[in-house]
């Protein structure tokens, strides 16, 4: 009996950056924080060691890092698509969350994700950063 490949492929518009994960996400988080809602990102979360990131020759992945500098948002320098976020330093002391990264599921064939629950995450709207000085002007957290 042959094993069935259940991996999911995500790619930027021009195809320069491809992210492959082993399975559908448990859910998709349509985060409403000040950056994600502007990106229009819909995150699927995976352990870093389960994610394969490939770039075509001469492709450039750019990063945007802000706030507490916990995460880098990585996007294609050619077409501008946000592909994934990567933890620069673990944002949590919870061992289960330390090595987690997010892939932008909006770069996946929507037919594959049709039956995956979408959650609209508003919790980051009121989660304070380590320093108010690095917060976005629209940050609603109480400091």
């Amino acid at each position: 009996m042959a094993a069935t490949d259940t991996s999911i492929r995500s790619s930027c518009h021009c195809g320069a950056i491809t992210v492959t994960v082993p399975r559908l996400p448990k859910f998709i988080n349509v985060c409403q924080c000040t950056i994600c809602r502007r990106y229009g990102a819909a995150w699927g979360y995976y352990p870093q060691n389960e994610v394969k990131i490939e770039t075509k020759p001469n492709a450039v992945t750019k990063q945007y890092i802000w706030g507490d500098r916990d995460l880098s948002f990585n996007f294609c320098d050619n077409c501008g698509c946000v592909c994934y976020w990567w933890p620069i330093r673990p944002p949590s002391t919870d061992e289960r969350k330390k090595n987690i990264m997010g892939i932008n599921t909006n770069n996946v064939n929507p037919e594959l994700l049709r039956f995956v629950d979408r959650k609209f995450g508003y919790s980051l709207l009121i989660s304070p950063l380590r320093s108010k000085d690095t917060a976005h002007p629209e940050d609603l957290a109480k400091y």
Side-chain angles (χ1 to χ4, degrees):
M1 178 195 280
T4 304
D5 181 11
T6 59
S7 62
I8 304 298
R9 186 176 159 274
S10 167
S11 67
C12 64
H13 194 260
C14 71
I17 300 168
T18 302
V19 181
T20 306
V21 294
R23 66 191 164 286
L24 291 172
K26 292 178 183 173
F27 65 93
I28 295 170
N29 178 26
V30 184
C31 183
Q32 298 298 304
C33 79
T34 59
I35 189 67
C36 293
R37 72 173 191 257
R38 285 173 169 81
Y39 283 150
W43 302 111
Y45 302 111
Y46 296 90
Q48 294 171 28
N49 64 356
E50 293 183 2
V51 179
K52 181 179 181 184
I53 300 168
E54 298 175 278
T55 56
K56 287 188 176 178
N58 302 317
V60 176
T61 303
K62 295 281 188 154
Q63 298 179 330
Y64 178 63
I65 302 167
W66 70 283
D68 286 340
R69 306 191 66 75
D70 287 338
L71 307 174
S72 71
F73 291 89
N74 299 267
F75 57 94
C76 176
D77 188 43
N78 185 51
C79 67
C81 287
V82 176
C83 298
Y84 58 93
W85 64 256
W86 186 270
I88 296 170
R89 61 179 171 197
S92 173
T93 56
D94 183 338
E95 286 298 320
R96 296 167 296 162
K97 296 180 181 178
K98 276 193 175 181
N99 296 309
I100 299 295
M101 64 177 290
I103 70 156
N104 187 359
T105 63
N106 282 340
N107 296 333
V108 173
N109 176 347
E111 185 63 29
L112 297 174
L113 302 172
R114 216 167 127 180
F115 300 107
V116 178
D117 286 338
R118 290 183 179 258
K119 298 179 180 181
F120 285 77
Y122 292 94
S123 63
L124 290 178
L125 285 174
I126 58 170
S127 298
L129 300 177
R130 290 186 239 292
S131 170
K132 183 179 181 176
D133 298 334
T134 59
H136 187 273
E138 293 177 17
D139 185 345
L140 301 176
K142 304 289 185 227
Y143 291 91

